[in-house]
């Protein structure tokens, strides 16, 4: 089975206080790297994260879901023991994950073979695995890393999975599932209703039920809001100030978040608001006072003696932007992806019926506009942008030609991009997130 | 088993003249598309080329080696029966193969899963399959298509496999084999000595022994030289002129080919020489007379009353050129590959010790020079070219950033490229055939 027992045992220890559960979790984690699981099936020890001991690991490897459940469990163990070697290993693995082995959707697992991580920078858009459960496991791990460190990058990454690599795993009607979440389809990919190995349906249900718990944390100093959603955050005062804060927002469609203090009392406490790294900077107003800038990739903190009725207004800019990949990523070279807020976009064939998605090209200075569409995909913001459609010219019957800078004719087109998570909910057809850069002369 | 019995039965029919062997080959071929093999393992009917009847097939699909053995057998059947529907199907499949599903090496099979063809334009460089036996099967098929039609494109493609996708399957010492022939390695790939499923070693041996038979054909009108190698072509006069032509060349290192008529007699006959499509045009001299241009992608034909001692000199230009991929191929977008004559080149880490091959970039107007290196890889022509090495800059810890046209520092480097077939014969290390285009400002 997957290494899920470790985090479950730590949780059981927390509930019961019985050390034997923590000891057993420690035992299982300490066994990793002994090579005992070598030879299982056709896969090597790395498939099981059994190649090197956990504390010596430097890379995420093997089966992606297994790897990420294991790191979640190890982080849980660290949360109880504070053992520095565990956290050092987790930070190494997190860097390897995010600097080398993550799809832009925060989907994980480059290879079908072994449902596994690939090599550094091996991140194909079409034949990636990006299992729904791997994004769930990554959210579980990032949540624990956030609890362990308070660093906003973990909440940022959790958010990236939530709105992209995870959410694409389920259809809008909640009844069809992707096991595998490609970033490009040349057509013919739809969510089935069920799988022989049906881990996604219950895991997706559990995860969606859990989302509200990712909204905020509290400590002795106050409350930290990590994910923006309409909810009321209420503390019982057992380990910090007793308070209730109502959050009003239609994030991620809008970047405006209103936090209204409903109940408070006693001394000053700190309200911390995550300013996502992707936004650069946001603005913040308290009780309608002059707006202040708050840098992205940090928590904006407001410490004061709060009174019921105090209002904090956060405004996170939501203009669509192009994202480019690390130049070492071969599979999506010279391509751009559209992001608006935390939501990544894709092109679906159905929205550009006249254009083969293999032929679309975009200029990196294309002006994008966003539009709320109540009628589309249960309500989404779409992104429109001017672009180009290449014509095949000499390439109709050829895969390879001498590079002679042949001019390739192109025509202007207007693209409509939709949130990636919502793809494959209409008629089946091609889809792509990464749009190649136009390298010709404008027609 | 793979569909090898069909071509073997046709051959047995040719040897024995017994119709039952041809009938049995026909029977097996006619069974395809009945879906009888559906459900074998986890793969669908297309894995076995059993989805549609052979005469209705429009695409190559499923297991690449199986598909290409089958087409070889079907072409053999056509050669005996002349049934137009078979040839029409073969031409459709050949176009699909070469316009959509062929690696530049004339390696075949984009996917590990099912050792299979991928979708049109799905041609990854790193995780392709390109099984050695698939290139062998393609050579077998192209040889039969050449016999059936006399069209030089089949000899061109046979040559492309021969010097690239096939020849990479065996080490220079003849004792180590690639089952899978990637076009890019990030390191760690070497030819093992043996495989559990060891089809490559005997198949490679058989194919190398067969190469000389691909050199030429003869018919009532004369002799056709398809592949250039030092040999003497001798006909017995049973079905055309009796003659002997000695071919002198060190092709593919040089493009100079000398054909000396050693024996001849009687009426005029035609010497046909394949002018490869990749060369654009070659020049031709008869007995030292003024050189004439001969267009690539055709057979240059010389009809005359030959006399012993007549000499034809063919000069095929061999300057290294860059090849670019069809813009629909996502995996190698904005990259160039080096070709010199029929030989494709790659970069190996060992030849550029200071440069990570993930960071190499090339300008499409880079001036290339070729050099014979007696001391290297059993003797090869290497290609040198100026290029750039990117520095990581902001990208050290990031996979995705907002596209802001950040200038990425680069430094000048001098690259040495070696023939692809000879890679992985020195110390193991990274390799790449497709070199990304430099898009920055020269340093």
């Amino acid at each position: 089975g997957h290494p899920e027992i470790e985090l479950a045992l730590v949780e059981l220890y927390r509930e019961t206080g019985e050390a034997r559960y923590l000891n057993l979790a420690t035992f299982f984690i300490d066994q990793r790297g002994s090579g005992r699981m070598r030879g299982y099936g056709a896969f090597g020890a790395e498939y099981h994260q059994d190649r090197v001991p956990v504390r010596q690991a430097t890379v995420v490897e093997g089966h992606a879901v297994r790897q990420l459940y294991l790191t979640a469990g190890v982080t849980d163990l660290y949360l109880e023991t504070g053992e520095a070697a565990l956290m050092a290993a987790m930070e190494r693995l997190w860097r390897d994950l995010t600097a080398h082995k993550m799809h832009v959707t925060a989907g994980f697992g480059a290879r079908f073979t072994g449902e596994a991580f690939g090599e550094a920078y091996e991140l194909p858009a079409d034949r990636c695995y990006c299992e729904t459960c791997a994004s769930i496991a990554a959210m579980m791990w990032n949540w624990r890393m956030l609890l362990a460190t308070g660093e906003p990058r973990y909440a940022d990454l959790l958010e990236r999975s939530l709105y992209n690599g995870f959410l694409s795993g389920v259809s809008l009607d909640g009844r069809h599932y992707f096991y595998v979440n490609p970033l490009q389809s040349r057509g013919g990919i739809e969510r089935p209703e069920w799988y022989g190995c049906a881990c996604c349906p219950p895991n997706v249900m559990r995860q969606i039920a859990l989302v509200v718990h990712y909204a905020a944390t509290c400590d002795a100093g106050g409350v930290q809001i990590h994910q923006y959603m309409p909810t009321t955050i209420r503390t019982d005062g057992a380990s910090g100030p007793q308070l209730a804060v109502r959050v009003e927002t239609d994030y991620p469609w809008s970047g405006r978040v209103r936090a209204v203090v409903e109940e408070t009392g006693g001394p000053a406490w700190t309200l911390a608001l995550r300013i996502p790294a992707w936004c650069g900077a946001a603005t913040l107003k308290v009780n309608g006072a002059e707006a202040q800038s708050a840098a992205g990739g940090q928590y904006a903190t407001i410490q004061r003696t709060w009174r019921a009725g105090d209002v904090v207004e956060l405004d996170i800019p939501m203009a669509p932007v192009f994202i480019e990949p690390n130049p070492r990523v071969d599979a999506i070279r010279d391509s751009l992806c559209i992001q608006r807020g935390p939501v990544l976009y894709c092109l679906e064939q159905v929205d550009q019926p006249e254009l083969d998605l293999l032929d679309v090209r975009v200029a990196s200075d294309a002006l994008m506009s966003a539009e709320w569409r109540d009628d589309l995909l249960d309500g989404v913001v779409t992104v429109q942008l001017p672009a180009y459609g290449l014509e095949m010219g000499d390439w109709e019957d050829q895969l390879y030609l001498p590079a002679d800078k042949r001019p390739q004719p192109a025509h202007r087109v207007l693209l409509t991009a939709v949130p990636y998570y919502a793809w494959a909910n209409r008629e089946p057809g091609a889809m792509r997130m990464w749009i190649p850069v136009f390298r010709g002369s404008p027609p």
Side-chain angles (χ1 to χ4, degrees), chain A:
Chain A
H2 292 5
E4 296 165 272
I5 192 68
E6 292 80 354
L7 63 90
L9 283 165
V10 176
E11 202 66 60
L12 194 57
Y13 160 74
R14 287 177 187 142
E15 288 296 317
T16 64
E18 291 189 33
R20 59 185 176 139
Y21 299 126
L22 191 66
N23 293 343
L24 187 56
T26 306
F27 172 80
F28 284 140
I29 286 168
D30 289 350
Q31 297 312 300
R32 298 272 159 180
S34 64
R36 274 195 186 77
M37 289 190 279
R38 201 184 305 266
Y40 171 92
F43 302 112
E46 72 277 11
Y47 173 84
H48 292 288
Q49 298 76 48
D50 194 28
R51 191 180 56 86
V52 291
V54 162
R55 290 168 185 79
Q56 294 163 32
T58 56
V59 293
V60 291
E61 63 185 9
H63 190 276
V65 180
R66 290 173 185 266
Q67 172 71 78
L68 295 168
Y69 281 149
L70 179 62
T71 51
V74 171
T75 308
D76 263 338
L77 185 61
Y78 165 79
L79 280 163
E80 298 309 317
T81 67
E83 184 191 339
L86 290 178
M87 179 48 66
M90 291 303 94
E91 286 178 344
R92 285 195 302 273
L93 296 195
W94 196 87
R95 181 185 178 276
D96 183 53
L97 184 80
T98 55
H100 303 141
K101 295 172 185 167
M102 177 177 82
H103 282 75
V104 70
T105 53
F108 303 95
R111 296 184 179 178
F112 268 68
T113 306
E115 308 183 337
F117 286 108
E119 296 171 337
Y121 307 110
E122 179 191 331
L123 295 163
D126 51 358
R127 291 283 295 175
C128 56
Y129 208 70
C130 291
E131 185 175 339
T132 302
C133 289
S135 285
I136 292 174
M139 290 166 76
M140 292 165 63
W141 183 29
N142 277 292
W143 177 247
R144 286 159 176 78
M145 290 296 279
L146 177 65
L147 294 180
T149 67
E151 292 182 23
R153 57 184 171 148
Y154 302 115
D156 280 354
L157 189 53
L158 192 156
E159 177 184 67
R160 190 190 284 256
S161 280
L162 175 59
Y163 291 110
N164 303 289
F166 159 66
L167 199 54
S168 62
V170 58
S171 63
L172 294 179
D173 68 6
R175 300 171 63 92
H176 299 80
Y177 299 89
F178 274 142
Y179 202 102
V180 170
N181 292 273
L183 281 65
Q184 176 183 9
S185 164
R186 297 183 184 85
I189 298 180
E190 295 180 85
R191 291 180 188 81
E193 274 200 303
W194 199 251
Y195 290 91
C197 175
C199 45
C200 11
N203 219 358
V204 166
M205 278 186 282
R206 184 186 60 166
Q207 194 67 11
I208 285 182
L210 206 64
V211 166
V212 71
H213 296 281
Y214 293 145
T217 51
C218 64
D219 62 13
V223 66
Q224 302 85 39
I225 304 186
H226 306 294
Q227 306 296 339
Y228 298 110
M229 59 192 83
T231 185
T232 298
I233 299 156
R234 195 179 296 277
T235 66
D236 60 7
S239 59
Q242 190 172 345
L243 58 89
V245 177
R246 190 176 74 248
V247 179
E248 301 168 355
T249 185
D250 62 353
Y251 192 93
W253 304 127
S254 150
R256 282 186 295 279
V257 179
R258 239 172 89 93
V260 182
V261 177
E262 292 201 322
E263 296 170 25
T264 183
W269 52 269
T270 299
L271 175 67
L273 298 161
R274 180 177 63 96
I275 313 300
W278 51 256
C279 81
T283 57
L284 206 55
K285 270 195 259 192
V286 181
N287 292 336
E290 200 181 342
Q292 300 210 309
S293 178
Q298 302 183 13
Y299 285 88
T301 55
I302 309 166
Q303 188 183 27
R304 56 186 283 157
T305 306
W306 297 94
R307 305 175 68 166
D310 281 348
V311 175
V312 175
E313 289 167 285
L314 174 64
D315 197 351
I316 303 172
M318 283 277 175
V321 294
F322 285 120
I323 303 296
E324 64 178 347
N326 188 307
R328 287 185 159 184
V329 181
D330 289 294
I332 49 174
R333 171 158 294 119
D334 209 34
S335 298
L336 301 171
C337 175
I338 299 166
Q339 179 169 358
R340 180 180 178 276
V343 177
L344 291 159
Y345 280 71
C346 69
L347 302 175
E348 282 201 276
Q349 190 66 68
V350 62
D351 295 310
Q352 14 278 326
E354 304 295 319
L355 178 68
D356 190 314
L357 289 191
L358 292 173
D359 299 331
V360 63
R361 296 294 183 276
V362 73
S364 62
D365 57 358
L367 215 63
M368 293 188 272
S369 62
E371 183 190 3
W372 170 253
R373 286 281 301 276
D374 203 52
D375 58 320
L376 197 66
L377 296 165
D378 291 358
V380 290
V381 170
T382 62
V383 172
Q384 283 76 41
L385 66 161
Y388 301 93
L390 291 188
E391 282 144 39
M392 287 293 275
D394 290 348
W395 288 109
E396 194 62 57
D397 286 309
Q398 302 283 344
L399 278 169
Y400 310 102
L401 285 172
D404 67 353
K405 306 184 201 67
R406 59 184 61 71
Q408 198 175 1
H411 57 277
R412 291 179 189 274
V413 295
L414 189 67
L415 302 178
T416 296
V418 296
Y420 167 71
Y421 76 78
W423 89 279
N425 278 288
R426 292 173 291 172
E427 55 189 84
M431 180 278 292
R432 70 182 309 146
M433 299 190 76
W434 290 102
I435 313 173
V437 173
F438 182 60
R439 293 287 180 193
S441 322

